[in-house]
């Protein structure tokens, strides 16, 4: 775990280390995924098309509140619009992690029609900010996937209003967005969600308990 973020540059280094950790786990295959940190109006986000296994500070772009690139080399990902919605709707969030894993791809497809994945009765739910017991019900909304990022941004905004306590949002057969008030908290949420998605998907697929 990382110490409390001191400033945006320290957070950026933690973000790059977290992206490399995700790559080592096979969670951002084929240059997929994107990662950001922010401090007030300043936001740093991964440039499009980079191998996250080799991500360094040079791979981050500084974006202003309108999405314009203020500093850095490269093109922002189309998904940068979703980061901006998330930061607007979750004022406490300082870091956002987006990964394409096998388990989040499977579980999001399974629950696309239901519109959410419900996690209940698992000890690891306590990893989420504000959850103190395995008897809590944690809901993660599932959005239909789309290449229309204007539409997707509007849908995301609606889901974040509908599920104020969700620790993450899934895009169906695409991936997971999660966040935290620091890179360390976002990483804890990511690791817990991916663990729980694997458990839930294996349970559903195997028909056990
Ligand atoms: Zn994606």
């Amino acid at each position: 775990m990382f110490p409390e973020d001191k400033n945006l540059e320290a957070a950026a280094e933690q973000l790059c280390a977290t992206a490399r950790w995700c790559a080592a786990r096979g969670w951002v295959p084929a240059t997929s995924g994107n990662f950001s940190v922010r401090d007030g109006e300043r936001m740093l986000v991964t440039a499009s098309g980079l191998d996250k296994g080799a991500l360094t500070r040079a791979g981050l772009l500084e974006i202003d509140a309108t999405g314009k690139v203020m500093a850095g080399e490269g093109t922002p990902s189309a998904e940068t619009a979703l980061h901006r919605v998330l930061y607007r709707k979750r004022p406490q969030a300082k870091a956002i992690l987006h990964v394409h894993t096998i388990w989040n791809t499977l579980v999001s497809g399974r629950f696309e029609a239901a519109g959410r994945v419900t996690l209940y009765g698992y000890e690891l739910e306590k990893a989420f900010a504000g959850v103190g017991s395995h008897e809590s019900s944690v809901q993660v909304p599932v959005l239909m996937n789309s290449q229309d990022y204007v539409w997707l941004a509007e849908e995301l905004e609606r889901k974040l209003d509908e599920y104020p306590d969700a620790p993450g949002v899934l895009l169906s057969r695409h991936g997971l967005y999660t966040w935290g008030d620091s890179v360390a908290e976002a990483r804890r949420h990511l690791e817990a969600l991916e663990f729980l998605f694997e458990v839930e998907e294996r349970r559903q697929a195997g028909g056990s308990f």
Side-chain angles (χ1 to χ4, degrees):
M1 284 306 206
F2 299 111
E4 196 65 17
D5 297 345
K6 292 276 191 292
N7 56 46
L8 195 59
E9 288 306 322
E13 292 301 332
Q14 295 171 5
L15 188 75
C16 291
T18 296
R20 296 191 299 268
W21 173 80
C22 287
R25 303 181 76 124
W27 288 358
V28 281
T31 78
S32 66
N34 38 72
F35 301 85
S36 73
V37 285
R38 68 121 169 228
D39 186 18
E41 291 293 296
R42 292 184 68 203
M43 168 175 159
L44 300 174
V45 62
T46 41
S48 181
L50 297 180
D51 173 2
K52 306 306 183 299
L55 189 70
T56 63
R57 174 65 180 82
L60 300 179
L61 305 173
E62 183 167 350
I63 307 283
D64 75 4
T66 67
K68 191 166 149 240
V69 177
M70 305 302 285
E73 294 289 319
T75 313
S77 155
E79 292 184 49
T80 301
L82 304 186
H83 289 245
R84 289 172 47 227
V85 168
L86 275 164
Y87 283 131
R88 198 169 66 242
K89 301 301 284 186
R90 294 290 182 265
Q92 80 285 6
K94 295 281 180 60
I96 296 171
L97 312 176
H98 170 57
V99 296
H100 296 192
T101 72
I102 291 171
W103 295 109
N104 74 37
T105 299
L106 286 168
V107 87
S108 61
R110 181 184 292 279
F111 289 101
E112 178 183 328
R116 64 177 179 268
V117 179
T118 300
L119 302 165
Y120 176 78
Y122 299 121
E123 177 68 14
L124 210 58
E125 290 171 48
K126 286 158 61 183
F128 303 125
V131 177
S133 167
H134 68 284
E135 291 178 330
S136 300
S137 177
V138 172
Q139 296 196 320
V140 181
V142 182
L143 276 72
M144 238 172 63
N145 195 28
S146 173
Q147 302 305 318
D148 179 348
Y149 283 93
V150 174
W151 179 84
L152 214 44
E154 289 169 2
E155 279 295 294
L156 177 61
E157 195 156 350
R158 269 194 286 279
K159 287 288 184 188
L160 290 169
D161 284 337
E162 198 181 334
Y163 294 88
D165 300 323
V169 174
L170 286 159
L171 302 187
S172 182
R173 296 184 174 86
H174 173 160
L176 167 72
Y177 277 87
T178 188
W179 53 86
D181 64 8
S182 62
V183 174
E185 184 177 88
R187 179 164 158 164
R188 191 181 78 234
H189 290 168
L190 173 62
E191 198 168 18
L193 281 168
E194 289 298 332
F195 174 92
L196 292 167
F197 291 154
E198 179 173 353
V199 170
E200 186 62 20
E201 179 58 24
R202 284 181 185 267
R203 184 177 82 84
Q204 293 278 343
S208 64
F209 69 92

